[in-house]
Amino acid sequence: MSIEELLHTSLDRCLDGSRTWNDDDPPELEAFLRGVIKSVAYSERKKWLGKKTSPREDAGSFDPDPRPLPDAALEEKEAREALAKDLEEILAGDEDLGMLVLAIQDGHVRRSDIAQALGWTPDRATAARLKLQRALIRHRPDQFATHKKTRGAS
């Protein structure tokens, strides 16, 4: 998708009502549009990555190792898949969390960097990070609650 197509798609979504802002606490127009553009770009990137490989095309060129995975590797793979599924469920329907994860994947980890990258205030970046952290603890308390306790103790 070209930059021009990205802008047109983003504006179309704003105008057709599929993208709206919070009337109770309206953001600045620039920040809102930046968020919409990043969201559309993120969605297009996911589509592009999904189309990048085709199981049918790759099936003939890939011969999997006939030996079964060791138990530890299999457990790790299953744990990663389960975590990815939980994360997908957490992000579903929450644009702020999706944008936060996208910013983190792009290498922005400090709240000021996240806020600048997304056109948010630092407080909004902190609120989104805390919301994500709480959701992860709720979905996987055994994995994330202990990390929070350890981090808070130091």
Side-chain angles (χ1 to χ4, degrees), residues 12-13 17 24-26 34 57 67 85 90 122 128-129 136:
D12 286 343
R13 291 187 185 174
D24 297 332
D25 184 25
R34 208 176 314 145
E57 292 174 9
R67 296 174 292 177
K85 183 179 178 187
I90 290 168
R129 184 189 56 79
L136 287 168

Side-chain angles (χ1 to χ4, degrees), residues 25-55:
D25 184 25
E28 293 182 19
L29 179 62
E30 181 183 345
F32 173 73
L33 292 175
R34 208 176 314 145
V36 172
I37 291 167
K38 286 184 181 191
S39 177
V40 171
Y42 176 72
S43 296
E44 290 299 317
R45 181 175 179 228
K46 281 178 32 177
K47 286 179 193 175
W48 179 78
L49 289 174
K51 292 177 183 177
K52 193 173 178 180
T53 59
S54 169

Side-chain angles (χ1 to χ4, degrees), residues 80-109:
R80 276 191 222 163
E81 289 172 353
L83 178 59
K85 183 179 178 187
D86 283 351
L87 188 58
E88 189 174 302
E89 183 180 314
I90 290 168
L91 298 179
D94 194 321
E95 183 181 332
D96 279 1
L97 292 185
M99 297 300 292
L100 173 67
V101 170
L102 180 61
I104 291 169
Q105 288 174 340
D106 285 344
H108 304 287
V109 291

Side-chain angles (χ1 to χ4, degrees), residues 2-149:
S2 72
I3 293 174
E4 188 174 316
E5 291 172 325
L6 175 65
L7 290 174
H8 285 288
T9 302
S10 301
L11 291 174
D12 286 343
R13 291 187 185 174
C14 292
L15 295 173
D16 71 11
S18 61
R19 300 300 305 248
T20 59
W21 66 12
N22 183 353
D23 288 331
D24 297 332
D25 184 25
E28 293 182 19
L29 179 62
E30 181 183 345
F32 173 73
L33 292 175
R34 208 176 314 145
V36 172
I37 291 167
K38 286 184 181 191
S39 177
V40 171
Y42 176 72
S43 296
E44 290 299 317
R45 181 175 179 228
K46 281 178 32 177
K47 286 179 193 175
W48 179 78
L49 289 174
K51 292 177 183 177
K52 193 173 178 180
T53 59
S54 169
R56 291 185 187 137
E57 292 174 9
D58 294 342
S61 64
F62 177 71
D63 294 325
D65 188 349
R67 296 174 292 177
L69 288 173
D71 289 341
L74 183 60
E75 287 175 16
E76 183 178 333
K77 179 183 177 211
E78 290 172 350
R80 276 191 222 163
E81 289 172 353
L83 178 59
K85 183 179 178 187
D86 283 351
L87 188 58
E88 189 174 302
E89 183 180 314
I90 290 168
L91 298 179
D94 194 321
E95 183 181 332
D96 279 1
L97 292 185
M99 297 300 292
L100 173 67
V101 170
L102 180 61
I104 291 169
Q105 288 174 340
D106 285 344
H108 304 287
V109 291
R110 292 182 18 208
R111 104 181 180 142
S112 59
D113 294 340
I114 292 169
Q116 184 178 17
L118 297 176
W120 292 354
T121 64
D123 289 339
R124 184 174 175 192
T126 297
R129 184 189 56 79
L130 289 172
K131 187 175 182 181
L132 177 62
Q133 185 179 29
R134 288 180 185 130
L136 287 168
I137 290 171
R138 219 177 16 260
H139 275 76
R140 297 181 157 265
D142 56 319
Q143 187 174 2
F144 291 101
T146 56
H147 175 70
K148 184 178 179 187
K149 289 177 188 173

